[in-house]
Amino acid sequence: MKTQRPLVFLCAFVPEWLSMSSSAKPPIVITLLGPTGVGKTALAIELAERINAEIVSADSRQIYRGLDIGTGKPARDQLARVKHHLINIIDPDQA
C-alpha cells in the first residue's frame, strides 16, 4: 500500500512578479491539501520555519477552543514553534 502525502500548491504566481520590487509584490500563498493523518501539519511547520512564514488554518473545526480530540489540532509544542492563525479562536457555544 502506497503512503499518501500532502499535496503542495503554490497559488497565485504570475511571472511578471519576478521583476517587481519586493515592496510591490503580493504575498505568496502556499497551500497544503490532503486527507487526515498524512503529515500536513508537520510539513507546514517545517516549511514555515524554513521560509520564516506563519500558518493560517482553514480547518472548520480547529477554530473551536476545547475541541482538541478528533480535530487534528497541532500539539502545543507545534503551536509554539510557528505562529498559527484561526486555531482556538472561539468557544463552541459561540458558533
Side-chain angles (χ1 to χ4, degrees), residues 14-86:
V14 177
E16 291 80 24
W17 293 348
L18 293 174
S19 62
M20 295 172 71
S21 71
S22 60
S23 63
K25 288 181 184 176
I28 293 174
V29 176
I30 299 172
T31 306
L32 303 178
L33 305 170
T36 301
V38 296
K40 296 181 299 290
T41 298
L43 178 59
I45 290 170
E46 182 178 333
L47 199 57
E49 288 175 330
R50 287 185 183 200
I51 65 173
N52 192 30
E54 297 178 4
I55 296 173
V56 178
S57 173
D59 189 293
S60 64
R61 294 169 296 179
Q62 291 182 359
I63 63 170
Y64 298 111
R65 285 185 212 100
L67 297 181
D68 299 340
I69 297 173
T71 59
K73 284 184 191 174
R76 287 183 188 199
D77 63 314
Q78 292 175 311
L79 291 169
R81 288 173 57 189
V82 175
K83 184 168 181 158
H84 286 70
H85 300 273
L86 302 180

